[in-house]
Amino acid sequence: MAEPEPPLSCDCFVSLPPGSQDDHVIFGKNSDRPRDEVQEVLYYPATSHPSGTMLECTYIQIPQAEHTHAVVLSRPSWLWGAEMGANDKGVCIGNEAVWTREAIDPGEALLGMDLVRLGLERADSAWGAVSVITGLLEQHGQGGPCREDPAPFSYHNSFLLVDRNEAWVLETAGKLWVAQKVTEGVKNISNALTIGTDISAEHPELRSVAQAQGWWSGEGEFCFNEVFKSENPPARMELAKKRYSGGTQLLQQHDGSVTAEVMMSILRDKPSGICMDSGGFRTTGSMVSILPRNPSLPCIHFLTATPDPSRSVFKPFIFSESVTPVSRVISPQYGPDDPVRKQPRFQSQVDRRHDLYKAHEGALQTMETNPDAGNALTETLRMLEGQCLTDISALLSGESPAEEELGDLFFDCVDTELKFYQ
């Protein structure tokens, strides 16, 4: 069987003051995945768990934490974790596939996407999430099929972890890791190792392992992305490097003036490949977050729940005491009969499309077959998004809507979008 082609890339971005126009930290991510994979958006409230509870992740069980924070997740609908998300403590995380010199464990362990969710559920800061993820890596490792397909496809992970004050880049190789703290300006990551000699924290055995393997002499500066770069990287990773450079250029063009709207425009950029549609892969979900430095202001998280951000609506979500569930962006559940649960895994396919995905799918077909109608629909959707951004701007300027209005915000936007498709 031919080895599956890896995706071109995912892309994560952050802008911290003075890179941002306002006193906000701005986070953004495109999730580039197999083109027919459905991404759903789910909210889970904060929960206390009985001592000794076990948690079922995508492939393995681990001990559950005594308390988990409320989270909103954008995730491939077949797995437990998430590609990206946020918690009610103002933490956002996105992950990327990376390939290194360290061998990929063929067994099932925690997926990088499981680690995204676990970091959000268990940490109240970006650094706290680094500590959670690296601790879980040490205990349980990372590994297992990373897509809904019987053909083997696994990778290691890098992460961008962001809160109201700072960001951390975390890059892993098996259980080994390095982290870099970012306190100002703009930063992005893609599917390549980016941390060189500017290391803020690292696994205690990182350098000794590199020496023992003959990857580093022990003399001179230790440069992580040189020492650990893969000797046989997937062919498309060279293109991923170009995307990383393109993303950096787009960010730098707006350095000092980054807003949520600017971040959305970057995620929609097709010439750079940031908004991806290539062969068997495309951008299947997108997220932008506003994290005000002022702790009295709410964090705002915009999620699409649909593919191709250039033809999707970023819809705002705000954590509140009364979040309205949005069943129409949640995929059907198949319980123990789900092909991911049965051994051997992934021997069949099921329909995971949620209502918004189906309606958006029909709209995309209209856009392709009837350009005039498609342009009119795109303009209407942009008007919806623009109104949402205007309302959010007023909120961040100090307006105080009712708690129920905040909890209904994402629900109302999904409902309105569905009506436009009808």
Side-chain angles (χ1 to χ4, degrees), residues 256-317:
S257 60
V258 175
T259 60
E261 295 94 323
V262 166
M263 191 64 78
M264 291 173 190
S265 73
I266 290 172
L267 298 185
R268 287 173 165 143
D269 192 81
K270 292 198 169 183
S272 67
I274 300 298
C275 180
M276 196 192 92
D277 190 343
S278 177
F281 291 82
R282 66 173 170 174
T283 300
T284 58
S286 303
M287 174 178 170
V288 169
S289 294
I290 305 172
L291 312 177
R293 285 278 175 86
N294 183 347
S296 68
L297 295 175
C299 296
I300 321 292
H301 310 286
F302 298 87
L303 304 108
T304 60
T306 51
D308 188 352
S310 72
R311 296 189 285 187
S312 289
V313 178
F314 282 92
K315 297 166 282 291
F317 174 94

Side-chain angles (χ1 to χ4, degrees), residues 41 74 88 92 209 276:
V41 172
S74 185
D88 60 350
C92 299
V209 169
M276 196 192 92

Side-chain angles (χ1 to χ4, degrees), residues 17 87 99-100 107 113 149 194 206 225 236 270 355 413:
N87 69 19
W99 285 263
T100 72
M113 292 170 280
D149 193 296
T194 64
L206 178 74
N225 59 358
R236 283 185 163 189
K270 292 198 169 183
D355 289 348
C413 288

Side-chain angles (χ1 to χ4, degrees), residues 40-43 324-333 352-357 410-411 414 418:
E40 59 184 346
V41 172
L42 301 105
Y43 164 76
T324 303
V326 186
S327 60
R328 304 194 76 177
V329 293
I330 300 174
S331 296
Q333 301 297 305
R352 301 190 187 277
R353 296 174 301 162
H354 51 70
D355 289 348
L356 183 62
Y357 186 99
F410 189 73
F411 175 93
V414 170
L418 280 163

Side-chain angles (χ1 to χ4, degrees), residues 112-131:
M113 292 170 280
D114 292 341
L115 291 165
V116 168
R117 178 171 175 178
L118 289 162
L120 291 169
E121 289 187 340
R122 300 182 179 197
D124 59 7
S125 67
W127 170 248
V130 171
S131 300

